[in-house]
Structure formats: C-alpha cells, structure tokens
Coordinates of all heavy atoms in Angstrom, one line a residue:
M593 N -143.5 -112.2 -11.1 CA -144.8 -112.9 -10.9 C -145.6 -112.2 -9.7 O -146.4 -112.9 -9.1 CB -144.6 -114.4 -10.5 CG -144.0 -115.2 -11.7 SD -145.2 -115.4 -13.0 CE -146.3 -116.7 -12.2
G594 N -145.3 -111.0 -9.4 CA -146.1 -110.3 -8.5 C -145.9 -110.8 -7.0 O -146.8 -110.6 -6.2
L595 N -144.7 -111.3 -6.8 CA -144.5 -111.8 -5.4 C -144.4 -110.7 -4.4 O -144.7 -110.9 -3.2 CB -143.2 -112.6 -5.4 CG -143.3 -114.0 -6.0 CD1 -142.0 -114.7 -6.0 CD2 -144.3 -114.9 -5.2
A596 N -144.0 -109.5 -4.9 CA -143.8 -108.4 -4.0 C -145.0 -108.0 -3.2 O -145.1 -107.6 -2.1 CB -143.2 -107.2 -4.7
A597 N -146.2 -108.2 -3.9 CA -147.5 -107.8 -3.3 C -147.8 -108.7 -2.2 O -148.6 -108.3 -1.3 CB -148.5 -107.8 -4.4
L598 N -147.2 -109.9 -2.2 CA -147.6 -110.8 -1.1 C -146.6 -110.8 0.1 O -146.7 -111.5 1.0 CB -147.6 -112.2 -1.7 CG -148.6 -112.5 -2.8 CD1 -148.4 -113.9 -3.4 CD2 -150.0 -112.4 -2.2
E599 N -145.6 -109.9 -0.1 CA -144.6 -109.9 0.9 C -145.1 -109.5 2.2 O -144.6 -110.0 3.3 CB -143.5 -108.9 0.4 CG -142.2 -109.0 1.1 CD -141.1 -108.2 0.5 OE1 -141.3 -107.7 -0.7 OE2 -140.1 -108.0 1.2
Y600 N -146.0 -108.5 2.3 CA -146.5 -108.1 3.6 C -148.0 -108.2 3.6 O -148.8 -108.0 2.6 CB -146.2 -106.6 3.8 CG -144.7 -106.4 4.0 CD1 -144.0 -105.7 3.0 CD2 -144.0 -106.8 5.0 CE1 -142.7 -105.5 3.1 CE2 -142.7 -106.7 5.2 CZ -142.0 -106.0 4.2 OH -140.6 -105.8 4.3
K601 N -148.5 -108.5 4.8 CA -149.9 -108.7 5.0 C -150.6 -107.4 5.1 O -151.7 -107.2 4.7 CB -150.1 -109.6 6.3 CG -151.6 -110.0 6.6 CD -151.5 -110.9 7.8 CE -152.9 -111.5 8.0 NZ -152.9 -112.4 9.2
A602 N -150.0 -106.5 5.8 CA -150.5 -105.2 6.0 C -149.3 -104.2 6.4 O -148.2 -104.6 6.7 CB -151.5 -105.1 7.2
R603 N -149.6 -102.9 6.2 CA -148.7 -101.9 6.6 C -149.4 -100.8 7.4 O -150.4 -100.3 7.0 CB -148.0 -101.3 5.3 CG -147.3 -100.1 5.6 CD -146.5 -99.7 4.4 NE -145.2 -100.3 4.3 CZ -144.2 -100.0 3.5 NH1 -144.3 -99.0 2.7 NH2 -143.0 -100.6 3.6
F604 N -148.8 -100.5 8.5 CA -149.3 -99.5 9.4 C -148.4 -98.4 9.6 O -147.2 -98.5 9.4 CB -149.7 -100.1 10.8 CG -150.7 -101.2 10.7 CD1 -150.4 -102.5 10.8 CD2 -152.1 -100.9 10.4 CE1 -151.2 -103.6 10.7 CE2 -153.0 -102.0 10.3 CZ -152.6 -103.3 10.5
A605 N -148.9 -97.3 10.1 CA -148.0 -96.2 10.5 C -148.3 -95.9 12.0 O -149.4 -95.6 12.4 CB -148.4 -94.9 9.7
L606 N -147.2 -96.0 12.7 CA -147.4 -95.8 14.2 C -147.0 -94.3 14.4 O -145.9 -93.9 14.0 CB -146.4 -96.7 15.0 CG -146.6 -98.2 14.8 CD1 -145.6 -98.9 15.5 CD2 -148.0 -98.6 15.1
H607 N -147.9 -93.6 15.0 CA -147.6 -92.2 15.4 C -147.1 -92.2 16.8 O -147.9 -92.5 17.7 CB -148.8 -91.3 15.1 CG -149.3 -91.3 13.7 ND1 -149.2 -90.2 12.9 CD2 -149.8 -92.3 13.0 CE1 -149.7 -90.5 11.7 NE2 -150.0 -91.8 11.7
L608 N -145.9 -91.8 17.0 CA -145.3 -91.8 18.4 C -144.9 -90.4 18.8 O -144.6 -89.5 18.0 CB -144.1 -92.6 18.4 CG -144.3 -94.2 18.1 CD1 -143.5 -94.5 16.9 CD2 -143.8 -95.0 19.3
R609 N -145.0 -90.2 20.1 CA -144.6 -88.9 20.7 C -143.4 -89.3 21.7 O -143.6 -90.1 22.6 CB -145.7 -88.3 21.4 CG -145.4 -86.9 22.0 CD -146.6 -86.1 22.5 NE -147.4 -85.6 21.5 CZ -148.7 -86.0 21.3 NH1 -149.3 -86.8 22.3 NH2 -149.4 -85.5 20.4
C610 N -142.4 -88.5 21.5 CA -141.2 -88.7 22.3 C -141.5 -88.3 23.8 O -142.1 -87.3 24.0 CB -140.0 -87.9 21.8 SG -138.6 -88.0 22.8
D611 N -141.1 -89.2 24.7 CA -141.4 -88.9 26.1 C -140.6 -87.8 26.7 O -140.9 -87.2 27.7 CB -141.2 -90.2 26.9 CG -142.1 -90.3 28.1 OD1 -143.3 -89.9 27.9 OD2 -141.7 -90.8 29.1
N612 N -139.5 -87.5 26.0 CA -138.6 -86.5 26.5 C -138.8 -85.1 25.9 O -139.1 -84.1 26.6 CB -137.1 -86.9 26.2 CG -136.1 -85.9 26.8 OD1 -136.2 -85.6 27.9 ND2 -135.2 -85.5 25.9
C613 N -138.7 -85.0 24.5 CA -138.8 -83.7 23.9 C -140.2 -83.5 23.3 O -140.5 -82.4 22.7 CB -137.8 -83.6 22.8 SG -138.1 -84.6 21.3
M614 N -141.1 -84.5 23.4 CA -142.5 -84.4 23.0 C -142.7 -84.2 21.5 O -143.8 -83.9 21.0 CB -143.2 -83.2 23.7 CG -143.2 -83.4 25.2 SD -143.9 -84.9 25.9 CE -145.6 -84.6 25.7
R615 N -141.7 -84.4 20.7 CA -141.8 -84.3 19.3 C -142.5 -85.6 18.8 O -142.4 -86.6 19.3 CB -140.5 -84.1 18.6 CG -139.9 -82.7 18.7 CD -138.6 -82.6 17.8 NE -138.1 -81.3 17.7 CZ -137.1 -80.8 18.5 NH1 -136.6 -81.6 19.5 NH2 -136.7 -79.6 18.4
E616 N -143.2 -85.4 17.6 CA -144.0 -86.6 17.1 C -143.2 -87.1 15.9 O -142.5 -86.4 15.2 CB -145.3 -86.1 16.6 CG -146.2 -85.7 17.8 CD -147.5 -85.0 17.4 OE1 -147.7 -85.0 16.1 OE2 -148.2 -84.5 18.2
S617 N -143.3 -88.4 15.8 CA -142.7 -89.0 14.6 C -143.5 -90.2 14.1 O -144.3 -90.7 14.9 CB -141.2 -89.5 15.0 OG -141.2 -90.4 16.0
I618 N -143.3 -90.6 12.9 CA -144.1 -91.7 12.4 C -143.2 -92.9 12.1 O -142.1 -92.7 11.4 CB -144.8 -91.2 11.1 CG1 -145.8 -90.1 11.4 CG2 -145.6 -92.4 10.5 CD1 -146.4 -89.5 10.2
L619 N -143.6 -94.0 12.5 CA -142.8 -95.2 12.3 C -143.6 -96.2 11.4 O -144.7 -96.6 11.8 CB -142.5 -95.8 13.7 CG -141.3 -96.8 13.8 CD1 -140.1 -96.0 13.6 CD2 -141.3 -97.4 15.2
P620 N -143.1 -96.6 10.3 CA -143.7 -97.5 9.4 C -143.6 -99.0 10.1 O -142.6 -99.3 10.6 CB -143.0 -97.5 8.1 CG -141.7 -97.0 8.4 CD -141.8 -96.1 9.6
L621 N -144.7 -99.7 10.0 CA -144.7 -101.0 10.6 C -145.3 -102.0 9.5 O -146.5 -101.9 9.2 CB -145.5 -101.0 11.9 CG -145.6 -102.4 12.6 CD1 -144.2 -102.8 13.1 CD2 -146.6 -102.4 13.7
D622 N -144.4 -102.9 9.0 CA -145.0 -103.8 8.1 C -145.2 -105.1 8.8 O -144.4 -105.7 9.5 CB -143.9 -104.1 7.0 CG -143.7 -102.9 6.1 OD1 -144.7 -102.2 5.8 OD2 -142.5 -102.5 5.8
I623 N -146.4 -105.7 8.5 CA -146.8 -106.9 9.0 C -146.5 -108.1 8.0 O -147.1 -108.1 7.0 CB -148.3 -106.9 9.3 CG1 -148.6 -105.7 10.3 CG2 -148.7 -108.2 10.1 CD1 -148.0 -105.7 11.6
P624 N -145.7 -109.0 8.4 CA -145.4 -110.1 7.5 C -146.5 -111.1 7.3 O -147.5 -111.1 8.1 CB -144.2 -110.8 8.2 CG -144.3 -110.5 9.6 CD -145.0 -109.1 9.7
Q625 N -146.4 -111.8 6.2 CA -147.5 -112.8 5.9 C -147.3 -114.1 6.8 O -146.8 -115.1 6.3 CB -147.4 -113.2 4.4 CG -147.9 -112.1 3.5 CD -149.4 -112.1 3.3 OE1 -150.1 -112.8 4.0 NE2 -149.9 -111.2 2.5
V626 N -147.8 -114.0 8.0 CA -147.7 -115.1 8.8 C -149.1 -115.3 9.5 O -149.8 -114.4 9.6 CB -146.6 -115.0 9.9 CG1 -145.2 -115.0 9.3 CG2 -146.8 -113.7 10.8
D627 N -149.3 -116.5 9.9 CA -150.6 -116.8 10.6 C -150.7 -116.1 11.9 O -149.7 -115.8 12.6 CB -150.7 -118.3 10.9 CG -150.9 -119.2 9.7 OD1 -151.3 -118.6 8.7 OD2 -150.6 -120.4 9.8
F628 N -151.9 -115.6 12.2 CA -152.2 -114.8 13.4 C -151.6 -113.4 13.4 O -151.7 -112.8 14.5 CB -151.8 -115.6 14.6 CG -152.3 -117.0 14.7 CD1 -151.5 -118.1 14.6 CD2 -153.7 -117.2 14.8 CE1 -152.0 -119.4 14.6 CE2 -154.2 -118.5 14.8 CZ -153.4 -119.6 14.7
A629 N -151.0 -113.0 12.4 CA -150.5 -111.6 12.3 C -151.7 -110.7 12.2 O -152.6 -111.0 11.6 CB -149.5 -111.4 11.2
P630 N -151.6 -109.5 12.9 CA -152.7 -108.6 12.8 C -152.9 -108.0 11.4 O -151.9 -107.7 10.8 CB -152.3 -107.5 13.8 CG -150.8 -107.6 13.9 CD -150.5 -109.0 13.7
S631 N -154.1 -107.9 10.9 CA -154.3 -107.4 9.6 C -155.1 -106.1 9.6 O -155.3 -105.4 8.6 CB -155.1 -108.4 8.8 OG -156.3 -108.8 9.4
D632 N -155.6 -105.6 10.8 CA -156.1 -104.3 10.8 C -155.7 -103.6 12.1 O -155.1 -104.2 13.0 CB -157.7 -104.3 10.7 CG -158.4 -105.2 11.7 OD1 -157.9 -105.1 12.9 OD2 -159.3 -105.9 11.4
I633 N -156.1 -102.3 12.2 CA -155.6 -101.5 13.3 C -156.1 -102.1 14.7 O -155.4 -102.1 15.7 CB -156.0 -100.0 13.1 CG1 -155.2 -99.5 12.0 CG2 -155.8 -99.2 14.4 CD1 -155.7 -98.1 11.5
E634 N -157.3 -102.5 14.7 CA -157.9 -103.1 15.9 C -157.1 -104.3 16.4 O -156.9 -104.4 17.6 CB -159.4 -103.4 15.7 CG -160.1 -103.6 17.0 CD -161.6 -103.9 16.7 OE1 -162.1 -103.5 15.7 OE2 -162.3 -104.4 17.6
E635 N -156.8 -105.2 15.5 CA -156.0 -106.3 15.9 C -154.6 -105.9 16.3 O -154.1 -106.5 17.2 CB -156.0 -107.3 14.7 CG -157.2 -108.0 14.4 CD -157.1 -109.0 13.2 OE1 -156.0 -109.4 12.9 OE2 -158.2 -109.3 12.7
L636 N -154.1 -104.9 15.6 CA -152.7 -104.5 15.9 C -152.6 -104.0 17.4 O -151.6 -104.3 18.1 CB -152.3 -103.5 14.9 CG -150.9 -102.9 15.2 CD1 -149.8 -104.0 14.9 CD2 -150.6 -101.8 14.2
T637 N -153.6 -103.2 17.8 CA -153.5 -102.6 19.1 C -153.6 -103.7 20.2 O -153.2 -103.5 21.3 CB -154.7 -101.6 19.4 OG1 -155.9 -102.3 19.1 CG2 -154.6 -100.5 18.4
E638 N -154.1 -104.9 19.9 CA -154.2 -106.0 20.8 C -153.0 -106.9 20.7 O -152.9 -107.9 21.5 CB -155.5 -106.7 20.6 CG -156.7 -105.9 20.9 CD -158.0 -106.6 20.4 OE1 -157.9 -107.7 19.8 OE2 -159.1 -106.1 20.7
D639 N -152.2 -106.6 19.8 CA -151.0 -107.5 19.5 C -149.8 -107.2 20.5 O -149.5 -106.0 20.7 CB -150.6 -107.3 18.1 CG -149.7 -108.5 17.6 OD1 -148.5 -108.4 17.8 OD2 -150.2 -109.5 17.1
A640 N -149.3 -108.3 21.0 CA -148.2 -108.1 21.9 C -146.9 -107.5 21.3 O -146.0 -107.0 22.0 CB -147.9 -109.5 22.5
A641 N -146.8 -107.6 20.0 CA -145.7 -107.1 19.3 C -145.4 -105.6 19.5 O -144.3 -105.1 19.5 CB -145.8 -107.4 17.8
L642 N -146.5 -104.9 19.7 CA -146.3 -103.4 19.9 C -145.5 -103.2 21.2 O -144.9 -102.1 21.4 CB -147.7 -102.8 20.0 CG -148.4 -102.4 18.7 CD1 -149.6 -101.6 19.0 CD2 -147.4 -101.7 17.8
N643 N -145.7 -104.0 22.2 CA -145.0 -103.8 23.5 C -143.5 -103.9 23.3 O -142.7 -103.4 24.1 CB -145.5 -104.8 24.5 CG -146.9 -104.6 24.8 OD1 -147.5 -103.5 24.8 ND2 -147.7 -105.7 25.0
G644 N -143.0 -104.7 22.3 CA -141.6 -104.8 22.2 C -141.0 -103.9 21.1 O -140.0 -104.0 20.6
L645 N -141.9 -102.9 20.8 CA -141.4 -101.9 19.7 C -140.2 -101.1 20.1 O -140.1 -100.6 21.3 CB -142.6 -101.0 19.4 CG -142.4 -100.0 18.3 CD1 -142.6 -100.7 17.0 CD2 -143.5 -98.9 18.4
R646 N -139.3 -101.0 19.2 CA -138.1 -100.2 19.5 C -138.3 -98.8 18.9 O -138.7 -98.6 17.9 CB -136.9 -100.8 18.8 CG -136.5 -102.2 19.4 CD -135.0 -102.3 19.2 NE -134.6 -103.7 19.7 CZ -133.5 -104.3 19.2 NH1 -132.8 -103.7 18.3 NH2 -133.2 -105.4 19.6
Y647 N -138.0 -97.8 19.8 CA -138.2 -96.4 19.4 C -136.9 -95.7 19.8 O -136.2 -96.0 20.7 CB -139.3 -95.9 20.2 CG -139.5 -94.4 20.0 CD1 -140.0 -93.9 18.8 CD2 -139.1 -93.5 21.0 CE1 -140.2 -92.5 18.6 CE2 -139.2 -92.1 20.8 CZ -139.8 -91.6 19.6 OH -139.9 -90.3 19.5
H648 N -136.5 -94.8 18.9 CA -135.4 -94.0 19.1 C -135.6 -92.6 18.5 O -135.7 -92.5 17.3 CB -134.1 -94.6 18.4 CG -132.8 -94.0 18.8 ND1 -132.3 -93.0 18.0 CD2 -132.0 -94.1 19.8 CE1 -131.2 -92.6 18.5 NE2 -131.0 -93.2 19.6
C649 N -135.8 -91.6 19.4 CA -136.1 -90.3 18.9 C -134.9 -89.7 18.1 O -133.8 -89.7 18.6 CB -136.5 -89.4 20.1 SG -136.8 -87.7 19.5
R650 N -135.1 -89.3 16.9 CA -134.0 -88.7 16.1 C -133.7 -87.3 16.5 O -132.7 -86.8 16.0 CB -134.4 -88.8 14.6 CG -135.5 -87.8 14.2 CD -136.0 -88.0 12.8 NE -137.5 -88.1 12.7 CZ -138.1 -88.3 11.6 NH1 -137.5 -88.4 10.5 NH2 -139.4 -88.3 11.6
H651 N -134.5 -86.7 17.4 CA -134.2 -85.4 17.8 C -133.4 -85.3 19.1 O -132.5 -84.5 19.2 CB -135.5 -84.6 18.0 CG -136.4 -84.5 16.8 ND1 -136.1 -83.7 15.7 CD2 -137.5 -85.2 16.5 CE1 -137.0 -83.9 14.8 NE2 -137.9 -84.8 15.2
C652 N -133.7 -86.2 20.0 CA -133.0 -86.1 21.3 C -132.4 -87.5 21.7 O -131.9 -87.6 22.8 CB -133.9 -85.6 22.4 SG -135.2 -86.7 22.8
S653 N -132.5 -88.5 20.9 CA -132.0 -89.8 21.2 C -132.7 -90.5 22.4 O -132.2 -91.6 22.8 CB -130.5 -89.8 21.4 OG -129.9 -89.3 20.3
C654 N -133.8 -90.0 22.8 CA -134.6 -90.7 23.8 C -135.2 -92.0 23.2 O -135.5 -92.0 22.1 CB -135.7 -89.8 24.3 SG -136.8 -90.5 25.5
T655 N -135.2 -93.0 24.1 CA -135.7 -94.3 23.6 C -137.1 -94.6 24.1 O -137.6 -95.7 24.0 CB -134.7 -95.4 24.0 OG1 -134.5 -95.4 25.4 CG2 -133.4 -95.3 23.3
V656 N -137.7 -93.6 24.8 CA -139.1 -93.9 25.3 C -140.1 -93.0 24.4 O -140.0 -91.8 24.4 CB -139.2 -93.5 26.8 CG1 -140.6 -93.7 27.2 CG2 -138.2 -94.2 27.6
G657 N -140.9 -93.7 23.7 CA -141.9 -93.1 22.9 C -143.3 -93.7 23.2 O -143.4 -94.9 23.5
R658 N -144.3 -92.9 23.1 CA -145.6 -93.4 23.4 C -146.4 -93.3 22.1 O -146.5 -92.3 21.4 CB -146.3 -92.5 24.4 CG -145.7 -92.6 25.8 CD -146.3 -91.7 26.8 NE -145.5 -91.6 28.0 CZ -145.4 -92.5 28.9 NH1 -146.1 -93.6 28.8 NH2 -144.6 -92.4 29.9
I659 N -147.1 -94.4 21.8 CA -148.0 -94.4 20.6 C -149.3 -93.7 21.0 O -150.0 -94.0 21.9 CB -148.3 -95.9 20.2 CG1 -147.0 -96.6 19.9 CG2 -149.3 -95.9 19.1 CD1 -147.2 -98.1 19.7
F660 N -149.6 -92.7 20.1 CA -150.9 -91.9 20.4 C -151.8 -92.1 19.3 O -153.0 -91.8 19.4 CB -150.6 -90.5 20.7 CG -150.0 -89.7 19.5 CD1 -150.8 -89.0 18.6 CD2 -148.6 -89.7 19.3 CE1 -150.3 -88.4 17.5 CE2 -148.1 -88.9 18.2 CZ -148.9 -88.3 17.3
Q661 N -151.4 -92.7 18.2 CA -152.3 -93.0 17.1 C -151.7 -94.1 16.1 O -150.4 -94.1 16.0 CB -152.5 -91.7 16.3 CG -153.6 -91.8 15.2 CD -153.8 -90.6 14.4 OE1 -153.0 -89.7 14.4 NE2 -154.8 -90.5 13.7
I662 N -152.5 -94.8 15.6 CA -152.1 -95.8 14.6 C -153.0 -95.6 13.4 O -154.2 -95.6 13.5 CB -152.2 -97.3 15.1 CG1 -151.4 -97.5 16.3 CG2 -151.8 -98.2 14.0 CD1 -151.5 -98.9 17.0
T663 N -152.3 -95.5 12.2 CA -153.2 -95.4 11.0 C -152.7 -96.4 10.0 O -151.7 -97.0 10.1 CB -152.9 -93.9 10.3 OG1 -151.5 -93.7 10.2 CG2 -153.5 -92.9 11.2
D664 N -153.6 -96.6 9.0 CA -153.3 -97.6 7.9 C -152.2 -96.9 7.0 O -152.4 -95.8 6.5 CB -154.6 -97.8 7.1 CG -154.4 -98.9 6.1 OD1 -153.3 -99.1 5.6 OD2 -155.4 -99.6 5.9
G665 N -151.1 -97.6 7.0 CA -150.0 -96.9 6.2 C -149.8 -97.2 4.8 O -148.9 -96.8 4.1
V666 N -150.7 -97.9 4.2 CA -150.6 -98.4 2.8 C -150.5 -97.2 1.9 O -149.7 -97.2 0.9 CB -151.8 -99.2 2.4 CG1 -151.9 -99.5 0.9 CG2 -151.9 -100.5 3.2
N667 N -151.2 -96.1 2.1 CA -151.2 -95.0 1.2 C -150.2 -93.9 1.6 O -150.3 -92.8 1.0 CB -152.6 -94.5 1.0 CG -153.5 -95.5 0.4 OD1 -153.2 -96.2 -0.5 ND2 -154.7 -95.6 1.0
H668 N -149.4 -94.1 2.5 CA -148.5 -93.1 2.9 C -147.3 -93.1 2.0 O -146.4 -93.9 2.1 CB -148.0 -93.3 4.4 CG -149.0 -92.9 5.4 ND1 -148.8 -91.9 6.3 CD2 -150.3 -93.3 5.6 CE1 -149.9 -91.7 7.0 NE2 -150.8 -92.6 6.6
A669 N -147.3 -92.2 1.1 CA -146.2 -92.1 0.1 C -144.9 -91.7 0.7 O -143.9 -91.9 0.1 CB -146.6 -91.1 -1.0
R670 N -144.9 -91.0 1.8 CA -143.7 -90.5 2.4 C -142.8 -91.6 3.0 O -141.7 -91.3 3.5 CB -143.9 -89.4 3.4 CG -144.8 -89.9 4.6 CD -145.1 -88.7 5.5 NE -146.4 -88.7 6.1 CZ -146.8 -87.9 7.0 NH1 -146.0 -87.0 7.5 NH2 -148.0 -87.9 7.5
F671 N -143.2 -92.8 3.1 CA -142.4 -93.8 3.6 C -141.2 -94.1 2.7 O -141.1 -94.7 1.8 CB -143.1 -95.1 3.8 CG -144.1 -95.0 5.0 CD1 -145.1 -95.9 5.2 CD2 -143.9 -94.0 6.0 CE1 -145.9 -95.8 6.3 CE2 -144.7 -93.9 7.1 CZ -145.8 -94.8 7.2
Ligands
LIG989 ZN1 -137.1 -86.7 21.6

C-alpha cells in the first residue's frame, strides 16, 4: 500500500571531513516521520540532532568529523 514512501520525511547527505586524515566522506541521514523533524537543509542545520551525530572515519578510525556541506540526499543513487 505504498507505506515505504511514508517511512521517512526526508533524506539528506552529510558531507564530512575527517579531523585527522582530512579525507571526505558522505553519511546518509534519514529523517523519520515525526513532528518537528527537520524537512529541509535549513531546518536541519538548526536541529540539535546534528550535534549528537556519530562519526567514524573508515580510513583512520578517527571519530571526529566536521560537516562542511549538507545536500538533499533523495537523488543520491550511491546510498
Ligand atoms: Zn580519517
């Protein structure tokens, strides 16, 4: 019945740069269908959820990453 389409409110791609090796990686971020959840990039950047983001560099295992860009991830086929 098309329930899958309602599973997420939005999908973003977080572009992070490792604080140690400076390599860049993309982290998919799905926003669940809940009240007050951010639905666009502007709202997302103001959302406290980003502060609790878990990051783990696959190249050097560093856990400190900085977000340098957020894009709309809906059309990212590589996820
Ligand atoms: Zn790294």
